[in-house]
């Protein structure tokens, strides 16, 4: 099993050297717990795998996966760059020490004000449509501004339909067959287009689609180089590398993955005589997914037509199971060595039937008061959480070599009301 599970002498779940039961006692539940060293290890493993075969390589962390400030700081210290998709992501990344040239902005359907804001912050624009290019030329003096374009490589993959971002159904990027004209237009308008970007989807464990995407993106880039006279400074192949969520899925062998993809990249560089542009990748899930767990307390065990284990969080806290039917492995953090004996449903506290963390899951005997750990909650966990059912947002704890730091306070009921005003006629 490739899931990142450690058990201490007490038979409790260990998170980065801290006992999950102690964390829950000290900080309450539900709580997201982030293991600092795991993020550092994930980054180093990823960076080293690729830079070994192609030193001109940079990692742009897709921070939509987790924008906790400490997570950003950790990756900033490691030398990582940022893939941002909204002005808010650009803003907080800048605040956490990323200079503008370490941020690539890949927004889609963005407004002129947003374009301007992102440029004022010094981030590099990765443009998603001809419309955005033309609007940009109207609101600023291009003056040789370095820009990049997102292209649709006509390859798509992902763990769910919602997470496939290439191919004819995708709203992202410019079409492969219009790329030459768009790069020419950008030059005519006075820009300096130096980058090309593609991203085929998310949660991909199969290496094949990535290879196809590298070939196809490089064929587009090669054509643009030859026919529009563009000398690329970078080519960005996006993110998407999956992590195992179930016990039978295997971790991606990142060294082989890097070796094979870089070989293809180099072949294409040679074929089109493109020199040595920097290669960018934008992992989100790979860097932070297995570095966090969500701890929840069992508050009710109900034998109805089925057996429901009720916990004190719901899809407002972790949306992935309800939204994508995603599997998250769940363990009983205070009884790690007990065998599985029963099939249960693990249900959240939101007033909707779809609020289940697991259906027919084989688990040990569970009593009220037990502590469950929902694993692999570090990517698209907190960032997709909400105040639905007027539940305050969950606190977050960072574990640094066994030492716990509260890095996000639990929201209060007052916070639920904080940004609202009541007009006079209702007072
Ligand atoms: N680059 C771009 C342009 C992206 O749109 C994304 C993810 C990434 C990189 C990072 O993908 P990753 O390496 O994390 O797979 N909420 C979904 C995932 C949506 C991903 C959106 N874009 C989930 O919970 O699975």
């Amino acid at each position: 099993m490739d899931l990142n599970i450690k058990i201490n002498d007490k038979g409790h779940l260990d998170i980065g050297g801290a006992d999950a039961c102690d964390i829950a006692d000290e900080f309450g539940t539900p709580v997201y717990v982030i293991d600092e060293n795991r993020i550092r290890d994930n980054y180093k493993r990823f960076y080293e795998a690729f830079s070994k075969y192609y030193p001109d390589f940079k990692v742009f962390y897709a921070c939509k996966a987790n924008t906790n400030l400490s997570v950003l700081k950790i990756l900033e210290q490691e030398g990582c760059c940022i893939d941002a998709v909204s002005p808010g992501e650009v803003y907080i990344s800048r605040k956490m020490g990323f200079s503008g040239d370490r941020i690539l902005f890949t927004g889609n359907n963005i407004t002129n004000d947003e374009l301007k804001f992102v440029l004022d912050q010094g981030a590099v624009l990765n443009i998603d449509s001809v419309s955005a290019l033309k609007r940009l030329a109207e609101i600023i003096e291009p003056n040789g501004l370095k820009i990049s374009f997102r292209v649709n490589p006509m390859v798509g993959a992902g763990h769910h339909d919602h997470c496939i971002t290439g191919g004819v159904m995708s709203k992202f990027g410019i079409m492969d067959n219009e790329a030459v004209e768009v790069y020419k237009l950008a030059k005519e308008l006075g820009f300096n287009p130096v980058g090309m970007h593609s991203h085929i989807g998310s949660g991909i464990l199969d290496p094949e689609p990535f290879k196809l995407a590298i070939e196809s993106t490089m064929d587009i880039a090669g054509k643009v180089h030859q026919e529009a006279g563009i000398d690329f400074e970078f080519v960005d192949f996006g993110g998407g590398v999956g992590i195992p969520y179930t016990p039978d899925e295997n971790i991606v062998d990142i060294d082989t993955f890097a070796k094979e993809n870089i070989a293809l990249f180099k072949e294409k560089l040679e074929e089109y005589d493109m020199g040595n542009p920097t290669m960018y990748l934008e992992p989100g899930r790979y860097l932070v997914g297995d570095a966090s767990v969500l701890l929840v307390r069992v508050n009710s065990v109900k034998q109805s037509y089925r057996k429901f284990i009720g916990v004190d969080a719901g899809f407002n806290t972790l949306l992935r199971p309800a939204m994508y039917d995603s599997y998250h492995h769940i363990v009983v953090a205070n009884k790690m060595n007990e065998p599985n004996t029963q099939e249960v449903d693990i249900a959240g506290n939101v007033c909707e039937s779809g609020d289940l963390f697991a259906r027919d899951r084989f688990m040990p005997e569970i009593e009220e008061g037990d502590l469950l750990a929902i694993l692999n909650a570090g990517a698209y966990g907190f960032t997709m959480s909400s105040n639905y059912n007027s539940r305050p947002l969950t606190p977050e704890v960072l574990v640094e070599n066994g030492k716990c730091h509260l890095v996000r306070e639990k929201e209060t009921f007052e916070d639920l009301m904080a940004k609202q005003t009541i007009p006079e006629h209702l007072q």
Side-chain angles (χ1 to χ4, degrees), residues 60-65 83-85 106 126 150 159-160 162-163 165 172 197-204 210 236-242 245 281-288 319-320 323-324 326 328 379-381 383-384:
F60 283 68
Y61 166 54
C63 70
K64 63 179 81 65
D83 155 40
V85 293
T106 302
N126 183 32
R150 177 172 186 164
H159 69 84
H160 186 278
H162 292 352
C163 299
T165 53
F172 295 104
H197 169 277
S198 68
H199 168 74
I200 58 170
S202 192
I204 311 164
F210 288 104
D236 181 338
F237 299 100
V241 182
Y245 282 93
L281 287 179
E282 300 174 344
R285 193 185 316 266
Y286 186 90
L287 298 186
V288 295
L319 183 61
R320 301 190 74 258
M323 179 142 174
Y324 310 114
S326 296
H328 280 259
Y380 312 105
T383 45
M384 290 178 75

Side-chain angles (χ1 to χ4, degrees), residues 50-57 262 265-266 269 276-277 279:
F50 287 88
S51 56
K52 186 165 85 186
Y53 298 108
Y54 193 78
D56 237 329
F57 171 69
I262 291 220
F265 178 58
K266 284 184 178 166
L269 288 178
N276 288 308
M279 183 197 217

Side-chain angles (χ1 to χ4, degrees), residues 33 37 75 88 119 134 224 238-239 282 302 330 338 347 364:
V33 187
N37 284 339
L75 288 167
L119 278 181
K134 288 185 177 159
V224 169
E282 300 174 344
K302 181 196 279 187
I330 301 178
E338 292 196 15

Side-chain angles (χ1 to χ4, degrees), residues 370-383:
D370 280 343
L371 183 68
L372 303 189
I374 306 181
L375 305 185
N376 294 317
Y380 312 105
F382 187 92
T383 45

